[in-house]
Amino acid sequence: MGLTAFGLEPQDSAPDEGNEADDVDKRVWCECVDCGYVGYEVQVRRESGVPLCPSCFTDREGLR
């Protein structure tokens, strides 16, 4: 007995939804303007306006 007996129609899968691991590989990471580190932690923060890693951000903002 197929699904059509219950009034259900077969559906195609969604077009290439991908998985999270593939999405991580496709991301472009930024480079820290102070130390040159490239990674996912490097972000443009509102306070500085330039891409910084967490360590350089804390140094610039005097949080240490």
Side-chain angles (χ1 to χ4, degrees), residues 20-33 36-44 51-53:
E20 193 170 314
D22 289 341
D23 293 342
V24 171
D25 292 339
K26 293 178 185 175
R27 288 187 197 146
V28 176
W29 292 342
C30 294
E31 179 179 352
C32 178
V33 295
Y37 172 74
V38 176
Y40 70 93
E41 302 99 345
V42 178
Q43 299 176 8
V44 176
L52 295 169
C53 69

Side-chain angles (χ1 to χ4, degrees), residues 30 32-35 37-45 50-64:
C30 294
C32 178
V33 295
D34 284 353
C35 69
Y37 172 74
V38 176
Y40 70 93
E41 302 99 345
V42 178
Q43 299 176 8
V44 176
R45 303 175 198 283
V50 294
L52 295 169
C53 69
S55 179
C56 291
F57 174 73
T58 56
D59 289 346
R60 275 194 178 198
E61 295 297 316
L63 299 174
R64 288 192 184 183

